[in-house]
């Protein structure tokens, strides 16, 4: 399906709402019926229409159609957060006694679920280095029912070979889930590569303006209907109509925004790589990136995230760099209009900072929509401060 068609037309039945160009926000919790029989049909099958907005809602419906098509999937469910999508997706695929194989260091709340919540219900997880396909088979047990991926991850960008893992999972009747937040459906299409369920934080590129928290899950109609009728309705993390509308608006400019973020990252990473204050950079489309060939094979773009590892072992200097930036905001998240930095030392108590640990010296940079040279000038003046004071 044509991307322009998906973004501008699919799901939008304008004659239903006065030919308005922007769809209405159907801010209604419930929907009324003319006959008992009509109501009975919806009570029996809530997936088939509008009964109550914890389930389906007309504004959400437009969004679901677009998101499913973007992923090349049969259907999409939208949640009030990416974490909600992760929770429902994983919970829907396991029962007591099952075993999960997950990439090591998945998104923190996925990890929390594997380490803290699921063991309480008799579900165990083995964490592996997903860069080597052999590790999946090594970790497999007779009770493995689920494999959890995140490619690339959003700090150091390790990849998994999606086609290879999808084939391995199918061979052993294991359900595969991937967190596709880093690429968004525009730069990577996991469902088309054979992965069963793709999820993403729509807070990032889909929303794109840092004003809404949301999550998306896509997959086959059969899996989506099953999850809708059980975990989705029960967890109760449906997205509000207003937020669904904001995501539709975000989609209008998704392609333009992603291209801009991608271009700035591609233009600036070589300069960062050469800067004397930087020891190493992490960027999947850097030819020196260990999995560069796989990145080029399965990703259409790299997006706006680049991580730098500073040379200095001095916490005060890392903080000096971050505190000296004038245009990059210091914050978690990414995917919005505004450029950001996230220093990993913000996650470490000063008494526990270890200058020899490369992780403690990493700063993740997100390139937003500002002018590329404006952003580079800002990074350069802050990095240069580390040289003069060394
Ligand atoms: C932000 C993020 C999430 C969680 O999404 P929320 O919308 O914040 O709940 C999940 N995975 C990745 C990779 C993320 O960056």
């Amino acid at each position: 399906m044509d991307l322009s068609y998906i973004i501008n037309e699919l799901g939008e039945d304008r004659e239903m709402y006065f030919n308005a160009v922007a769809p209405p926000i159907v801010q209604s919790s419930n929907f009324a019926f003319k006959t008992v029989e009509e109501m009975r049909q919806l009570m029996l099958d809530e997936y088939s229409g509008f009964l109550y907005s914890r389930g389906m809602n007309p504004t959400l419906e437009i969004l679901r159609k677009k998101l499913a098509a973007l992923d090349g999937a049969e259907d999409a469910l939208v949640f009030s957060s990416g974490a909600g999508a992760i929770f429902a997706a994983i919970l829907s695929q396991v029962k007591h006694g099952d075993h999960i194989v997950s990439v090591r260091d998945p998104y923190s709340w996925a990890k929390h679920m594997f380490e803290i919540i699921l063991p309480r219900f008799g579900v165990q997880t083995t964490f592996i280095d997903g860069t080597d396909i052999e590790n999946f088979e090594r970790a497999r047990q007779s009770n493995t029912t689920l494999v959890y991926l995140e490619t690339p991850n959003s700090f150091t960008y390790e990849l998994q070979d999606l086609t290879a893992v999808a084939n391995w999972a199918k061979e052993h009747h294991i359900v595969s889930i991937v967190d596709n937040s880093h690429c968004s459906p525009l730069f990577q299409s996991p469902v088309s590569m054979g992965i069963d369920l793709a999820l993403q934080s729509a807070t990032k590129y889909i929303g794109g303006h840092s004003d809404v928290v949301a999550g998306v899950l896509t997959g086959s109609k059969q899996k989506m209907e099953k999850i809708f009728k059980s975990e989705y309705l029960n967890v109760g993390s449906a997205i509000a109509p207003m937020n669904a509308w904001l995501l539709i608006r975000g989609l209008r400019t998704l392609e333009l925004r992603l291209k801009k973020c991608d271009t700035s990252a591609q233009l600036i990473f070589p300069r960062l790589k050469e800067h004397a204050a930087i020891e190493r950079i992490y960027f999947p489309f850097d030819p020196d990136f260990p999995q560069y060939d796989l990145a080029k094979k399965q990703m259409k773009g790299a997006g706006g995230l680049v991580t730098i590892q500073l040379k200095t072992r001095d916490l005060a200097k890392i903080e000096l760099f971050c505190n000296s930036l004038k245009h990059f905001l210091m914050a978690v998240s990414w995917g919005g209009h505004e450029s950001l930095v996230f220093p990993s030392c913000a996650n470490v108590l000063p008494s526990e900072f270890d200058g020899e640990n490369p992780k403690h010296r990493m700063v993740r940079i997100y390139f937003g929509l500002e002018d590329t040279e404006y952003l580079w000038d800002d990074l350069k003046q802050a990095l240069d401060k580390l040289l003069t004071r060394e």
Side-chain angles (χ1 to χ4, degrees), residues 166-211:
N167 290 340
W168 166 82
K170 281 204 170 66
E171 189 185 327
H172 301 289
H173 306 288
I174 294 168
V175 173
S176 51
I177 301 181
V178 65
D179 183 334
N180 195 35
S181 301
H182 179 280
C183 282
S184 94
L186 252 54
F187 283 167
Q188 184 165 266
S189 233
V191 173
S192 316
M193 292 181 211
I195 297 294
D196 295 311
L197 297 168
L199 60 86
Q200 61 178 311
S201 166
T203 313
K204 313 292 163 55
Y205 287 125
I206 305 281
H209 295 75
S210 301
D211 51 14

Side-chain angles (χ1 to χ4, degrees), residues 58-76:
T59 308
L60 174 60
E61 178 98 343
I62 299 171
L63 176 64
R64 284 178 49 237
K65 285 189 177 151
K66 290 182 189 293
L67 289 170
L70 276 183
D71 248 353
E74 287 173 7
D75 199 5

Side-chain angles (χ1 to χ4, degrees), residues 79-86 106-110 148 150 152-154 179-182 199-204 212-216 305 333-334 364:
F79 297 76
S80 57
S81 71
I86 291 172
Y107 181 71
S108 50
W109 289 101
Y148 188 87
E150 183 180 328
N153 80 29
S154 57
D179 183 334
N180 195 35
S181 301
H182 179 280
L199 60 86
Q200 61 178 311
S201 166
T203 313
K204 313 292 163 55
V212 55
V213 173
V216 186
L305 292 176
S333 197
W334 43 276
R364 185 181 71 190

